[in-house]
Amino acid sequence: MKEEQKENIEPTSKSEKLSEDLKGTFGSFKSFLSDLLDIRSDTDRDSTIEAVKKDITFKGHNAWILIFSIFVASIGLNVSSTAVIIGAMLISPLMGPIVGIGLSVAINDIDTLRRSLINLGVMVGLSVFTAFLYFWVSPLTGSNAELEARTYPTILDVLVAIFGGLALIVAKTKKGTIASVIFGVAIATALMPPLCTVGYGLAQGNFSDAGGALYLFSINATFIALSTFVVSKLLGFPLVRYANSKRRRVTAQIASIIAIIVMVPSIYLFYNMLKESYFKQEATRFVEEELMIYEDSFLQKNSTIFAYNGGTDPKIEVSFLGKEIPSSVISLWRTKMKNYKNLEDASLIILQNENTESYDQLQYMREFKRRDSLSILNKDERISFLETELKKLSKLAEHQIPFNKVSKEAKINYDGLASFSYADKIISNFNTTDTIPEFRVAWADSIPQQDIQKNEMKLKEWLQFTLELDTLVFKRD
């Protein structure tokens, strides 16, 4: 009996021991992660607030540094030099007011928020004006890949701004700021090139590119400020104390409203950009899996357009060269497109040769006019008209009437045939012109009139059958 009790106790002891070991291992791992990722113990809140407020001020040296860095960045964009652009971003002081906005909202500091907004507005205005002056006087006015890349934000730009902003504020909160991190964030978030592109668009009168670049800058600035706000709240930065309790409540309410105004549109914007990114990924996969395998025509991949249009009217537009694609194939592609989750509401536009449902002659007319080549188009029209007339005039050439052979056979088959002639007869009703073969015959005087009529009827039928003619004119001389 005692042995049975002993056997029952031993497994229980082993189980408890294993459980204790697992708890100890988990606790050690948790402690390791806590030590590895904890930043609260090494955060200097007061020094961080003081440093951020110091960087907000924009005058004197900072103003000239910004002007010179904008010139450097504009030159880099103008000559499409990535190295020069990176150098300009290293010396740019644009980060200060943006971080100041996020921190001031987090700690309810309305005075700092006001200073940050004013200094940011002055910085943006001075940057755009400087870039405008450069591109206005620069002899190099053509666009390039570096400029075009800053005219529209993507989901990647948003992600870079979020994680770049997080890295920046975390670096600033550490005792002894990590300068290399701040430089890296300045390069990654790319605040200066969009502002330079705004100046370029204004100098060239291209307000679409200018608006897109300003939109990209706004995205980056918003998410950097938002990241600063979130980290400041998580690290428990102390709120600014006001002697007047009423003012403290009003300030807190204003800060909360500003935070909501910034966060809600940012989340919505991020969601829309994420959907657009999914749409373009699926559209690319659809084109590669379904359209590129079509062998009878060549897909012009460089001319493929994916237009999301805010999700209201997404489109995939592709161009083909070669044989005309049947409507049944296009319908099949559109049916298959519905199987792709993010392409269910998208429309497929196929551009190819004429006489297809998607061919747009006006597009080519605009291209001719844009190149001042309307005279070429007129020549093509005249050539096309002459070719049509030539076909009408040469209709009988398709049959290649062997007149010598036909006339000899007619002489053999019909006694009394004195002469046999052939010519093309051109007939017009003033709307259309047509060419009809005309045959003329003459008979010997000894042939009775009754036999002549009978022979002419047979001869006409024989000519139509032998020469495969639908119509002909038959006359007697």
Side-chain angles (χ1 to χ4, degrees):
M1 187 73 178
K2 292 181 179 179
E3 291 179 356
E4 291 179 0
Q5 290 177 353
K6 186 177 181 181
E7 289 177 358
N8 292 335
I9 292 171
E10 285 182 356
T12 305
S13 300
K14 290 181 180 179
S15 175
E16 290 176 352
K17 186 177 181 181
L18 179 61
S19 177
E20 290 176 359
D21 291 341
L22 289 175
K23 289 181 179 178
T25 303
F26 177 75
S28 299
F29 181 70
K30 184 179 179 181
S31 178
F32 169 75
L33 284 181
S34 178
D35 292 338
L36 176 65
L37 301 177
D38 180 54
I39 61 175
R40 290 177 177 270
S41 59
D42 203 23
T43 297
D44 190 344
R45 295 169 178 78
D46 295 334
S47 298
T48 300
I49 294 174
E50 184 180 349
V52 170
K53 289 182 177 180
K54 184 178 178 181
D55 290 340
I56 291 172
T57 304
F58 179 71
K59 62 181 179 179
H61 292 80
N62 282 347
W64 284 108
I65 291 172
L66 178 64
I67 292 172
F68 296 145
S69 61
I70 287 291
F71 272 118
V72 173
S74 297
I75 294 170
L77 289 170
N78 208 181
V79 299
S80 192
S81 173
T82 304
V84 175
I85 298 170
I86 291 175
M89 287 187 283
L90 285 174
I91 59 177
S92 170
L94 273 172
M95 285 289 188
I98 298 174
V99 175
I101 292 173
L103 180 64
S104 60
V105 174
I107 64 176
N108 294 350
D109 191 345
I110 295 298
D111 294 332
T112 302
L113 176 61
R114 187 185 301 110
R115 284 178 52 224
S116 300
L117 290 172
I118 292 173
N119 281 278
L120 180 61
V122 173
M123 278 189 174
V124 170
L126 184 60
S127 299
V128 172
F129 180 71
T130 303
F132 170 80
L133 285 180
Y134 170 78
F135 286 108
W136 188 46
V137 299
S138 174
L140 303 175
T141 57
S143 182
N144 55 55
E146 291 288 349
L147 285 167
E148 291 174 358
R150 271 82 183 189
T151 58
Y152 188 74
T154 64
I155 186 64
L156 296 179
D157 295 309
V158 174
L159 293 175
V160 166
I162 291 173
F163 292 110
L166 292 172
L168 176 63
I169 188 59
V170 168
K172 276 186 169 291
T173 59
K174 187 180 184 300
K175 294 177 182 178
T177 303
I178 308 173
S180 60
V181 174
I182 297 176
F183 292 153
V185 171
I187 295 170
T189 52
L191 291 170
M192 289 192 62
L195 291 178
C196 295
T197 306
V198 174
Y200 168 80
L202 295 177
Q204 299 299 315
N206 190 338
F207 298 106
S208 176
D209 285 354
L214 186 60
Y215 183 40
L216 174 57
F217 171 80
S218 302
I219 294 276
N220 288 343
T222 298
F223 280 96
I224 291 172
L226 185 60
S227 300
T228 303
F229 170 83
V230 172
V231 172
S232 300
K233 283 293 187 183
L234 291 176
L235 292 179
F237 273 62
L239 300 178
V240 174
R241 298 184 180 278
Y242 295 95
N244 188 329
S245 59
K246 183 178 180 181
R247 185 185 178 190
R248 184 177 65 250
R249 288 195 302 271
V250 171
T251 302
Q253 291 173 356
I254 293 174
S256 301
I257 292 172
I258 293 175
I260 293 172
I261 290 174
V262 171
M263 290 179 65
V264 172
S266 300
I267 295 171
Y268 178 73
L269 178 65
F270 181 83
Y271 174 72
N272 280 343
M273 286 193 168
L274 194 62
K275 288 182 64 177
E276 181 175 1
S277 177
Y278 287 151
F279 165 75
K280 290 184 177 180
Q281 289 178 14
E282 290 259 89
T284 302
R285 187 163 66 90
F286 169 74
V287 170
E288 292 176 351
E289 293 179 355
E290 306 293 345
L291 306 188
M292 290 188 69
I293 62 175
Y294 190 75
E295 298 179 352
D296 293 338
S297 296
F298 173 72
L299 173 66
Q300 296 178 284
K301 195 170 182 180
N302 293 335
S303 62
T304 301
I305 299 174
F306 302 139
Y308 186 64
N309 298 325
T312 57
D313 186 23
K315 295 179 181 178
I316 301 176
E317 183 176 301
V318 293
S319 299
F320 281 91
L321 292 176
K323 293 183 179 179
E324 180 180 325
I325 302 174
S327 299
S328 58
V329 175
I330 297 176
S331 299
L332 178 62
W333 284 342
R334 287 174 176 156
T335 302
K336 286 186 174 181
M337 191 169 66
K338 303 301 179 184
N339 297 330
Y340 292 77
K341 182 179 179 181
N342 295 286
L343 304 181
E344 294 177 351
D345 299 325
S347 56
L348 178 63
I349 300 175
I350 305 294
L351 302 179
Q352 53 176 330
N353 301 326
E354 63 177 329
N355 298 327
T356 63
E357 60 178 9
S358 302
Y359 182 79
D360 187 3
Q361 291 181 336
L362 293 178
Q363 179 180 358
Y364 293 92
M365 289 282 287
R366 295 191 201 102
E367 183 66 16
F368 275 118
K369 291 180 180 179
R370 188 181 69 81
R371 298 180 182 180
D372 295 326
S373 300
L374 191 57
S375 58
I376 297 177
L377 183 62
N378 291 334
K379 290 179 182 177
D380 289 342
E381 289 178 344
R382 290 197 294 270
I383 291 172
S384 176
F385 173 76
L386 293 174
E387 287 177 346
T388 303
E389 292 302 311
L390 183 61
K391 287 179 181 179
K392 292 178 180 179
L393 295 174
S394 306
K395 187 176 180 181
L396 289 179
E398 297 177 1
H399 303 282
Q400 293 293 324
I401 294 177
F403 179 73
N404 291 332
K405 180 181 178 182
V406 171
S407 61
K408 289 179 180 179
E409 288 183 4
K411 177 64 176 175
I412 294 171
N413 293 329
Y414 299 95
D415 294 333
L417 188 62
S419 66
F420 183 81
S421 61
Y422 153 76
D424 288 333
K425 184 175 184 180
I426 300 176
I427 301 175
S428 174
N429 61 0
F430 304 106
N431 290 323
T432 59
T433 303
D434 201 0
T435 303
I436 299 177
E438 179 179 289
F439 295 90
R440 302 181 73 90
V441 295
W443 303 91
D445 295 335
S446 58
I447 304 298
Q449 188 67 27
Q450 185 177 355
D451 292 341
I452 290 176
Q453 292 179 353
K454 184 178 179 180
N455 287 340
E456 285 181 349
M457 186 179 297
K458 288 185 177 181
L459 179 57
K460 182 178 180 181
E461 292 177 356
W462 175 75
L463 287 172
Q464 284 181 310
F465 175 77
T466 302
L467 302 178
E468 298 180 354
L469 296 174
D470 294 330
T471 57
L472 59 82
V473 176
F474 195 87
K475 292 185 177 182
R476 185 195 314 168
D477 288 335

